[in-house]
Every structure is written in structure tokens, then in C-alpha cells.
Amino acid sequence: MQKTIAVIRGDGIGPEIVDQALQVLNRIGTLYGHEFTYADVDMGGSAIDKWGDPLPPEMLQTCLDSDSVLFGAVGGPKWNHVPGSMRPEKGLLRLRAGMEVYSNNRPAKIWPQLASASPLKPEIVEKGIDFIIVRELTGGIYFGRHDTVAENGEAVAIDQLRYSESEIRRIGRIGFETARKRSKRLCSVEKSNVLDSSRLWKKVMHQLSEEYPDVALTDMLVDNCAMQIVKDPSQFDVIVTENMFGDILSDEASMITGSIGMIPSSSLGDSSRGLYEPIHGSAPDIAGRDIANPIGTILAAAMMLRYSFDMPREADCIESAVSAVLSQGYRTADILPPDAAGCTLTGCRDMGRLIIDNLKKG
Ligand code: NAD
């Protein structure tokens, strides 16, 4: 198969971690007979320096012309002084809007080798944590009418929460499709005991479930879900939820897995083209020192293969290689246990090379 990938290295550790992911993709291409070609895109601080714009229109167009986008991270103190509309992060917001990605998908997976990094009790972690949160990204309370008015001599703030059936249906479909590619269990999270928007959410999800008889749909109230994620995260496989609930739950979920450097995410819309990135930022404090953890970005590339290119074997191959390297005891500094017992400290480039050495065609 031939695929064109728009590559945004970005700022800080972005170029270091993205380069490792590209080398992993190149090896996958050789092993499985695919041709990945890369189109470089400037975004963020580096684009401001070069073009005076965090995402020049032609750069956005390169992303829209690609089969998917792999992104490192943007931002850093160097650009703190630039006006708000020109900040590096504005490039990312413009990219998401331009690509019309309305679904953010963030896995919460604990690697057994890193179990001690989780703040949860070992007996809970031992049951396994491996689920994904599909969060609606462009609707809900963050995008409703916001106002502060004067009433009876005091300020009153109003934030409107609205969802249309079509907005719910399109994110619901991503939830069902994601569940289909995993264990076929989908948990829809809302607050239907209080909110009209949640009652509509629940109704649409159940209508949709008739089109997905192979996927088992359950409902859960968001407050209960927040509790269950720390009580027994092993019960979840795919969670689908609205924007603000997903924002909060996905941070809770990433925390229980232990390390920010390990977690990828994808953003998807109506087409198969997606935006794939690690969840962390540009880590300017460690940039250029070859100590960043590239695994979140390498796993983002694996997500791209699974969800945009329909290459599940290739994605499994990358995830197995990551697991093998962790089992061999190799750790970047962020995931090295305090006593470093049985572990070998590795740099960013070495971690990439070790993962490539462990890629075995399944
Ligand atoms: P950050 O995620 O960049 O860093 C937080 C901490 O985690 C730092 O100590 C950093 O060294 C560490 N860290 C992050 N990724 C790591 C990795 N792969 N390996 C090892 N350690 C890692 O968050 P921050 O410091 O709040 O933000 C730094 C810059 O990144 C800011 O300009 C911010 O706006 C930007 N940012 C960008 C994105 C993005 O591009 N998607 C996301 C968040 C923050």
C-alpha cells in the first residue's frame, strides 16, 4: 500500500521524537511491503520563525492533501511574547479546524512493565488497564453561547450546553467503529438523570446501536464513571462521551497509567484521514538533549496504521516491539524507577533503535 503522511515535527522535543517514529514506520514499510512518503509541514514556533505564521495556508493544504498527519508538539518560551492570535498553539487549533476533526481518541493503557508508576493500588493495576476514550471535540459547553450579565445587582455567568442529534450521531459512530476494532464493548457516558443534552445523547446512542448489533452498548453516568475509572478500570474498553466530560475523564485516565511520555492520541473526522500525536507538549526543558521518550509518538504512528490505514497487524507489530523493549528493561529517564533496579537508562535515539530492532512481522 502507498500512503502519504504529512509530518509536523514542531518545536522543542518534537523533531527528536517524530524522527524516531518515522524510522519505525520506514521499517514497517520494509517488513510489510508498504511505501510511506512524507511531506514536511512547518507549524508552531518554527513556522513563526520561518514564515511569520504558525500555520501558513499552504502548510495546512499539505495536511489536507495527505492520507494522515503525524505531529510532535509545538510551543515554548521563545514564543511567549508573540500576540495571542499568532502563538504556536494557534497553529494546532487551525489545523484541527481545517481538518474538521471532531473526535479525540485517547487510549489509557498501562504497560505491565511500568505498573509501579501508576498511582493506583497494585491489585487494581494487576487486573489490567487498556481502554480508549472517544471524546466529542467541537460541540457542547465549550462551543455554546458564553455570557456574563448583570442581574439583581450581581454578575451572572451563563455557559450554554447544546448538542444536536447529528453531532451526537457522528461521534457515536466513531465510538461504535472503534469498539468494532477492539473488543466490541462500548460504554456511553452522560448525565441523563439531569441534562436534556444527555437524554438526547442516550437516545441517539441507542438508535445507533441497532446498526451495530455486534457491539454491546452500556450506559453510565459521568460521576459514576469518574469513580469506576479509579475503582476498576479493567471493566472499560471503549468509552464515548461529550466534550467536557471527555476532557476531564481523559486526564483522569492518562494519570492512572503513570507517564505522559507513553500516551498517544488521535483526532478524527468524517474521512479516514486523522491527526496523530503524543499527548504531551514540546518539553522545552529537555529539548535537544536526546533524553525525551519517543514512545508516545511511536504509538501514535501505530494508531495511524490501525485507525486510518486499516493496518492492524502492522500496529500490533509496533505495540509488541514497545512491550518487548520495556520487558528487556530499557527505560528513558521519565519512566526509570527511582531505584533503577533491573533497568537500563536509554536516550531517545537508542529507544527508537531498540524498538526497530524488536519489530517482528507477525
Ligand atoms: P509538556 O508536556 O511539554 O511537559 C511537561 C513535563 O513532562 C516536562 O517536565 C517535560 O520534560 C515532561 N515531558 C513531556 N513529554 C515528555 C517526553 N516525551 N519524554 C520525557 N519527558 C517528557 O508540558 P508543558 O511544559 O506544560 O508545556 C511546554 C510547551 O508545550 C508549552 O509551550 C505548551 O504550550 C506546549 N504544549 C503543546 C502541546 C501540543 O503541541 N499538543 C500540548 C501541551 C503543551
Side-chain angles (χ1 to χ4, degrees):
M1 222 183 267
Q2 260 192 322
K3 296 287 177 191
T4 301
I5 300 168
V7 176
I8 307 173
R9 289 178 172 78
D11 310 316
I13 59 170
E16 302 167 53
I17 54 179
V18 168
D19 280 346
Q20 300 315 311
L22 296 186
Q23 289 185 41
V24 169
L25 283 173
N26 287 341
R27 180 76 186 130
I28 287 287
T30 308
L31 282 175
Y32 288 86
H34 304 304
E35 192 185 330
F36 300 120
T37 48
Y38 307 114
D40 285 329
V41 168
D42 298 320
M43 188 175 89
S46 56
I48 295 171
D49 289 351
K50 204 163 159 187
W51 308 104
D53 184 339
L55 184 65
E58 55 274 24
M59 295 291 162
L60 172 61
Q61 193 56 49
T62 303
C63 294
L64 299 179
D65 292 340
S66 72
D67 293 307
S68 262
V69 180
L70 183 67
F71 164 49
V74 291
K78 183 178 175 193
W79 302 281
N80 280 352
H81 63 281
V82 298
S85 65
M86 288 296 285
R87 286 184 62 91
E89 294 79 4
K90 283 284 176 205
L92 180 55
L93 295 182
R94 266 197 247 154
L95 178 66
R96 286 178 179 154
M99 290 180 70
E100 296 180 31
V101 284
Y102 53 79
S103 162
N104 183 249
N105 315 294
R106 198 191 271 193
K109 172 170 172 151
I110 190 133
W111 298 83
Q113 304 90 331
L114 304 180
S116 61
S118 172
L120 296 185
K121 286 184 181 154
E123 57 267 32
I124 297 176
V125 175
E126 272 159 23
K127 291 172 78 179
I129 304 174
D130 185 3
F131 62 98
I132 186 161
I133 296 181
V134 176
R135 164 191 168 196
E136 203 286 328
L137 203 57
T138 57
I141 199 162
Y142 296 163
F143 289 85
R145 186 174 65 91
H146 303 287
D147 211 356
T148 305
V149 295
E151 254 180 44
N152 302 324
E154 63 176 346
V156 176
I158 303 156
D159 297 297
Q160 179 195 40
L161 165 52
R162 50 164 287 158
Y163 267 109
S164 67
E165 284 180 277
S166 55
E167 282 175 307
I168 299 170
R169 194 169 296 112
R170 66 182 190 174
I171 187 73
R173 275 195 197 289
I174 300 231
F176 278 102
E177 294 292 340
T178 307
R180 256 192 181 159
K181 289 179 175 150
R182 293 174 54 103
S183 76
K184 301 188 169 57
R185 288 182 294 125
L186 179 64
C187 179
S188 166
V189 172
E190 28 71 3
K191 188 74 181 165
S192 56
N193 54 343
V194 179
L195 300 174
D196 264 30
S197 59
S198 281
R199 282 190 276 276
L200 184 62
W201 178 281
K202 188 172 176 180
K203 184 174 153 201
V204 172
M205 291 302 296
H206 281 267
Q207 284 168 350
L208 264 181
S209 81
E210 289 172 18
E211 293 175 39
Y212 295 88
D214 52 324
V215 176
L217 174 69
T218 52
D219 306 297
M220 192 176 279
L221 296 175
V222 63
D223 37 357
N224 184 27
C225 183
M227 203 166 66
Q228 296 297 332
I229 284 177
V230 289
K231 188 171 170 232
D232 180 15
S234 71
Q235 68 187 284
F236 295 110
D237 189 57
V238 181
I239 290 174
V240 63
T241 191
E242 61 98 83
N243 201 344
M244 184 167 67
F245 297 161
D247 191 5
I248 297 165
L249 293 177
S250 62
D251 268 23
E252 182 191 13
S254 61
M255 185 60 215
I256 63 171
T257 67
S259 170
I260 196 174
M262 298 288 299
I263 307 172
S265 87
S266 69
S267 301
L268 292 162
D270 282 333
S271 77
S272 61
R273 186 188 54 227
L275 169 61
Y276 295 85
E277 57 184 302
I279 66 162
H280 58 74
S282 61
D285 53 331
I286 58 167
R289 293 165 55 194
D290 191 35
I291 59 172
N293 185 348
I295 295 180
T297 317
I298 290 170
L299 293 174
M303 278 186 101
M304 175 188 293
L305 300 183
R306 188 182 304 282
Y307 294 109
S308 282
F309 299 168
D310 204 17
M311 298 179 183
R313 286 179 316 139
E314 292 82 339
D316 286 346
C317 178
I318 296 176
E319 288 164 5
S320 300
V322 169
S323 182
V325 170
L326 295 176
S327 294
Q328 291 155 18
Y330 293 106
R331 303 281 187 273
T332 44
D334 58 310
I335 51 173
L336 189 72
D339 60 0
C343 295
T344 310
L345 180 63
T346 2
C348 181
R349 277 195 299 267
D350 276 348
M351 181 54 90
R353 182 185 53 74
L354 286 159
I355 291 169
I356 290 166
D357 290 347
N358 279 275
L359 290 171
K360 304 276 184 299
K361 190 173 175 181

